[in-house]
């Protein structure tokens, strides 16, 4: 794989069982590149290793007054120089290629996993850790992959020098052969402590990054409540903790580097002192002493790669562990994933017009109808929305099979039959669409059938036209979706802030994450984008939580009209939205507690009334709010809208 061939057509399926296994999997995927780098490295380091012997031969030729042999040595030195230069250039080229291609493979794997998990990713892994993995950790993993071939080539040259000295100058060769392994192994006892300090530094850096991203994301709110300085002070403290940890880590690596300089220096002094004694005794020639001295001096260069590979592995191992942890996440539980892997034929998509049924809560959303869901627990609502889209979270096991098998009133016979046959099995599906388990479908198919808009949708930077350039059925125009989501004022705001010459609001640019817009404006644009896709089933989690009541009433009418005949599920507690729904389902303590219309449930269900009207215990004891007053308020808002 060359850099020009990136990105990979298919980055493959990684071995994410551990960080070490993941590094090994990356290495196996780059055997060709590693072999190329190793060959060029061996050429380069062989030239470096041969240089001292050539110098020794030259000195002997001068001492023996043999000009012809000196010319041959000169030619040999020229060839060695060419080998060193060409080998070094190509080694750098191939090693960096290995680095970049490995980093690109990891980034593609992370991007694919992010697309697969969607918003569920940051619910399972901290946002700061995701940022750290996709930036710094990717580089560290690539660094280790790149350093492997250079280390092996350096190891080859060290062995070559030691073996050569044993033949060229046996007395000095024995000293070097004993000293070099001691030098290479001396830093090993310090590596665990250095690694731990580096891990602490990275952990603190990840927390500081997460704190910074949270602060920036909520800067507008923080300024509004006067909490900006408080969070900035927290970030300063976190930043200082990172600095202190980095200094502690650097001290340990500096000690290792000092050992790598001190011990080779001591070996060089020993060789010179012992070699001078041998020369004075006439046991070796001057050229042999020069060759041995040059060889030891030359060894300092390849020995640095021993320290580099130790540092690269120490830094990349926890990085690979974090990457493997992210890549090991699945949109479904492990049992269901194993069942899908063992299945020979893919599950077929359900026929259009099927009911949406959640086995864990008993929620039924009939096909073609507008269903509103009320949950007293916002976290439960978020998990339910993810599950309805075929992306079940890592939750506790579902309730017992009997409770799961109880279909709510009005459940169709095929759905009830499917529940009875599947609820008791291990790794059972959690949501059915037309009797087919969503989490067993291919990811693209599941997302085509069911679209989930969470309560904090993201707007990417670009023009409004690019924002609406999403996979869609083509049945809903952008103008109709914008009108249903009540985005007229948003279009005016974008047009006013656009540069001169922009006349169509669809060509106006949206800043990163839509930060130039208010929360309600971002929410309505995201709703319009979801309406444009026109999926078979649309799941909206609190789609109007940031808009005023009059706008909310108009949005409820617009969505109901635009989605007529299509299955729509809205998780909300706003009376305005609930009053527009064909049917309302109350989820209490994880199961369906009541089903009906909004006004019927207000009259008959105290638990529903407590969630929707924020009724207190005292008000419930006294009989609750006057329902006629509530109905009058709803009617008044409808008329004013």
């Amino acid at each position: 794989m060359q850099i020009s061939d990136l990105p990979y057509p298919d980055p493959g399926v990684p071995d994410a069982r551990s960080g070490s296994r993941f590094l090994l999997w990356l290495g196996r995927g780059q055997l060709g590149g590693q072999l190329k780098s190793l060959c060029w490295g061996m050429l380069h380091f062989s030239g470096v290793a041969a240089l001292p012997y050539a110098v020794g031969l030259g000195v002997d030729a001068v001492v023996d007054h043999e000009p012809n042999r000196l010319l041959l040595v000169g030619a040999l030195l020229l060839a060695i120089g060419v080998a060193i230069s060409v080998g070094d250039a190509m080694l750098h080229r191939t090693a960096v290629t290995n680095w970049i291609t490995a980093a690109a493979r990891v980034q593609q794997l992370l991007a694919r996993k992010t697309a697969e998990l969607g918003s569920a990713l940051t619910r399972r892994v901290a946002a700061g850790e995701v940022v750290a993995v996709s930036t710094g950790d990717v580089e560290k993993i690539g660094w280790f992959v790149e350093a492997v071939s250079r280390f092996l080539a350096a190891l080859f040259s060290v062995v070559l020098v030691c073996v050569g000295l044993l033949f060229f100058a046996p007395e000095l060769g024995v000293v070097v052969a004993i000293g070099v392994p001691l030098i290479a192994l001396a830093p090993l006892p310090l590596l665990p402590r250095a690694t731990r300090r580096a891990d602490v530094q990275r952990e603190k850096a990840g927390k500081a990054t997460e704190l910074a991203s949270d602060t920036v994301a909520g800067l507008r709110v923080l300024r509004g409540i006067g909490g900006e300085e408080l969070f900035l002070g927290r970030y300063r403290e976190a930043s200082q903790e990172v600095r202190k940890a980095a200094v502690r880590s650097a001290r340990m690596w500096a000690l290792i580097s000092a050992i790598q300089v001190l011990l080779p220096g001591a070996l060089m002094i020993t060789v010179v002192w012992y070699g001078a004694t041998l020369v004075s005794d006439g046991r070796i020639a001057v050229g042999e002493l020069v060759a041995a001295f040059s060889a030891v001096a030359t060894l300092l260069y390849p020995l640095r790669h021993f320290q580099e590979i130790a540092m690269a592995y120490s830094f990349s191992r926890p990085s690979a562990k974090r990457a493997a942890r992210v890549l090991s996440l699945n949109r479904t539980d492990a049992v269901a994933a194993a069942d899908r892997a063992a299945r020979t034929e893919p599950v077929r998509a359900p026929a259009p017009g099927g009911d949406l049924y959640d086995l864990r809560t008993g929620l039924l959303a009939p096909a073609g109808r507008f269903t509103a869901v009320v949950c007293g627990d916002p976290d439960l609502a978020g998990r339910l929305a993810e599950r309805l889209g075929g992306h079940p979270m890592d939750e506790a096991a579902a309730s017992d099979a009997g409770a799961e098998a109880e279909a709510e009133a009005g459940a169709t016979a095929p759905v009830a039959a499917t529940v009875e046959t599947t609820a008791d099995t291990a790794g059972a599906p959690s949501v059915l669409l037309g009797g087919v388990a969503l989490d067993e479908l291919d990811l693209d198919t599941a997302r085509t059938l069911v679209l989930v808009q969470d309560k904090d949708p993201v707007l990417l930077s670009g023009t409004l036209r690019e924002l609406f350039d999403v996979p869609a059925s083509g049945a809903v125009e952008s103008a109709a979706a914008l009108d249903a989501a009540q985005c007229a004022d948003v279009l005016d705001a974008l047009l006013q802030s656009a540069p001169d010459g922009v006349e169509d609001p669809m060509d106006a640019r949206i800043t990163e994450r839509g930060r130039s817009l208010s929360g309600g404006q971002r929410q309505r644009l995201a709703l319009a984008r979801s309406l444009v896709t026109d999926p078979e089933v649309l799941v909206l989690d609190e789609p109007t939580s940031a808009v005023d009541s009059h706008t909310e009433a108009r949005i409820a009418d617009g969505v109901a009209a635009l989605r007529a005949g299509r299955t729509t599920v809205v998780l909300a507690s706003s009376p305005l939205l609930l009053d527009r729904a064909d049917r309302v389902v109350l989820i209490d303590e994880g199961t369906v507690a009541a089903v009906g219309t909004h006004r019927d449930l207000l009259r008959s269900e105290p638990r529903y009334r407590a969630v929707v009207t924020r009724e207190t215990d005292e008000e419930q004891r006294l009989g609750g709010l006057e329902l006629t007053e509530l109905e009058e308020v709803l009617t008044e808002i409808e008329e004013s809208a």
Side-chain angles (χ1 to χ4, degrees):
M1 172 65 71
Q2 298 297 321
I3 296 177
S4 58
D5 298 327
L6 295 175
Y8 285 92
D10 179 11
V13 179
D15 185 349
R17 289 176 291 176
S18 67
S20 300
R21 290 177 182 272
F22 180 61
L23 289 175
L24 183 61
W25 177 83
L26 277 178
R28 288 201 304 266
Q30 285 194 321
L31 286 179
Q34 293 288 352
L35 287 175
K36 288 181 182 178
S37 184
L38 178 59
C39 290
W40 288 114
M42 291 176 66
L43 176 64
H44 169 67
F45 283 105
S46 295
V48 172
L51 193 59
Y53 305 112
V55 171
L57 292 175
V59 171
D60 285 339
V62 172
V63 172
D64 296 339
H65 302 288
E66 296 182 4
N68 292 333
R69 187 158 58 121
L70 186 59
L71 289 175
L72 293 175
V73 172
L76 178 60
L77 286 173
L78 179 62
I80 291 175
V82 171
I84 292 175
S85 300
V86 174
D88 188 28
M90 295 305 299
L91 170 62
H92 179 75
R93 179 185 179 90
T94 53
V96 171
T97 299
N98 291 335
W99 183 339
I100 294 176
T101 51
R105 185 190 292 270
V106 177
Q107 285 180 327
Q108 281 187 250
L109 291 170
L110 291 172
R112 186 174 67 182
K113 182 60 65 174
T114 301
E116 176 185 342
L117 296 177
S119 61
L121 175 61
T122 52
R123 297 184 185 181
R124 303 186 189 187
V125 182
E129 184 169 351
V130 176
V131 174
V133 170
S134 59
T135 54
D137 286 340
V138 168
E139 291 190 7
K140 292 181 178 66
I141 292 171
W143 177 28
F144 174 72
V145 172
E146 176 261 349
V148 168
S149 57
R150 288 193 286 111
F151 163 72
L152 293 177
L155 177 63
F156 170 77
S157 70
V158 169
V159 173
L160 191 64
V161 168
C162 293
V163 173
L165 276 178
L166 287 175
F167 287 96
F168 192 78
E171 294 87 347
L172 294 176
V174 172
V175 175
V176 174
I178 295 175
V180 168
L182 294 177
I183 294 173
L185 298 176
L188 289 183
L190 300 176
L191 286 179
R193 183 177 297 180
T195 301
R196 286 194 297 270
R197 292 189 179 185
D199 290 344
V200 171
Q201 176 195 349
R202 282 189 292 272
E203 180 182 355
K204 291 182 179 295
K207 292 181 179 178
T209 302
E210 183 176 356
L211 180 60
S213 62
D214 290 343
T215 303
V216 172
L219 192 58
R220 178 180 296 181
V221 177
L222 291 175
R223 286 175 174 171
I225 63 176
E228 179 182 3
E229 287 300 324
L230 174 63
F231 275 79
L232 289 178
R234 290 180 180 177
Y235 179 73
R236 291 190 189 99
E237 293 177 3
S239 179
Q240 288 302 312
E241 290 294 326
V242 174
R243 182 189 64 80
K244 293 176 182 178
V247 170
R248 283 173 46 91
S249 177
R251 286 174 179 168
M252 186 57 62
W253 289 111
L255 177 60
I256 293 175
S257 298
I259 292 175
Q260 290 292 90
V261 173
L262 177 64
L263 294 184
L267 177 61
M268 187 178 299
I269 293 173
T270 301
V271 168
V272 172
W273 173 78
Y274 183 54
T277 302
L278 295 177
V279 170
S280 63
D281 293 341
R283 298 168 59 184
I284 63 172
V286 176
E288 293 176 338
L289 174 60
V290 172
F293 172 79
S294 301
V296 174
T298 303
L299 283 177
L300 296 178
Y301 171 54
L303 283 175
R304 284 203 300 267
H305 292 81
F306 285 61
Q307 178 187 355
E308 182 191 17
I309 194 65
M311 291 181 64
Y313 180 73
S314 298
F315 279 90
S316 65
R317 184 182 55 81
S319 296
K321 183 179 180 180
R322 281 195 294 267
R325 183 164 61 247
V326 174
L327 294 175
S328 64
L329 298 176
N330 294 310
R331 58 186 275 256
T332 56
D333 59 81
V335 176
D339 290 343
R340 285 199 308 277
R343 193 180 292 116
T344 56
E345 296 183 1
V347 176
R348 294 184 179 181
D355 296 339
L356 184 68
Y357 187 83
D358 178 40
L359 282 79
R360 296 190 183 182
T361 61
L363 169 65
L364 174 69
R369 301 185 68 186
F370 185 171
T371 302
V373 182
V374 176
C375 295
D377 182 2
D379 292 334
L380 174 61
R383 295 194 298 270
L384 177 59
E386 292 286 347
R387 203 162 60 241
L388 291 177
H391 314 290
M393 300 289 295
D394 288 334
E395 304 177 56
S399 56
D400 60 76
E404 287 183 338
E406 291 178 3
E408 65 171 300
T412 59
V415 171
T418 307
V419 174
E420 292 176 0
T421 57
T422 58
D424 290 325
T425 60
S430 56
V431 175
L432 306 176
L433 179 61
V436 177
L438 270 182
D439 50 15
E440 294 183 357
L441 292 173
D442 178 75
L443 179 61
D444 293 337
T445 303
R447 284 184 170 168
T448 301
L449 294 171
V450 183
L451 174 66
V452 178
Q453 177 183 304
D454 61 21
K455 62 184 64 178
D456 296 312
V458 175
L459 301 181
L460 301 178
S461 60
T463 65
L464 190 57
R465 195 181 309 279
E466 293 170 341
L467 179 68
F468 285 88
D469 185 17
V470 293
S473 67
V476 178
E477 298 291 336
S478 299
L482 289 166
D483 182 62
Q486 300 298 308
C487 293
D489 63 314
V490 185
L491 299 180
D492 293 338
L494 289 174
L495 200 56
Q496 290 176 4
S497 62
D500 295 337
V502 177
E503 300 179 354
D504 188 349
M506 297 298 292
D507 295 325
R509 294 194 64 81
I510 300 174
T511 57
E512 184 261 339
R513 298 182 68 90
R515 297 194 187 281
S516 60
L517 303 173
S518 68
Q521 290 174 328
R522 290 196 299 269
Q523 195 173 57
R524 282 176 282 159
L525 279 181
L527 175 59
R529 178 180 58 186
S530 299
L531 293 173
V532 164
T533 61
D534 188 39
E536 181 176 336
V537 179
L538 177 60
V539 180
L540 303 172
D541 187 6
E542 294 288 356
T544 58
S545 59
V547 301
D548 60 83
S549 59
H550 295 286
T551 304
E552 185 177 30
R554 292 194 294 268
I555 290 175
D557 289 333
V559 171
L562 192 65
R563 293 286 301 173
R566 308 286 273 170
T567 307
T568 305
V569 180
V570 177
L571 292 95
S573 59
S574 167
L576 296 172
L577 277 175
L578 299 174
D579 196 44
R580 277 17 175 232
D582 298 326
R583 64 200 305 270
V584 179
V585 180
L586 172 65
I587 304 292
D588 185 57
E589 295 184 356
T591 59
V592 171
V595 180
T597 66
H598 168 60
R599 303 197 184 201
D600 289 341
L601 291 176
L602 276 178
R603 293 187 181 93
S604 62
E605 183 53 64
R607 291 172 295 180
Y608 178 82
R609 191 163 59 245
V611 174
V612 173
T613 65
R614 309 296 195 271
E615 193 176 72
T616 64
D617 294 339
E618 180 65 19
E619 289 169 334
Q620 289 188 47
R621 189 180 64 81
L622 296 175
L625 299 174
E626 291 294 334
L627 298 179
T628 55
E629 295 180 6
L630 286 173
E631 293 177 354
E632 289 175 1
V633 172
L634 290 173
T635 304
E636 181 182 345
I637 293 177
E638 290 174 1
E639 293 175 352
S640 63

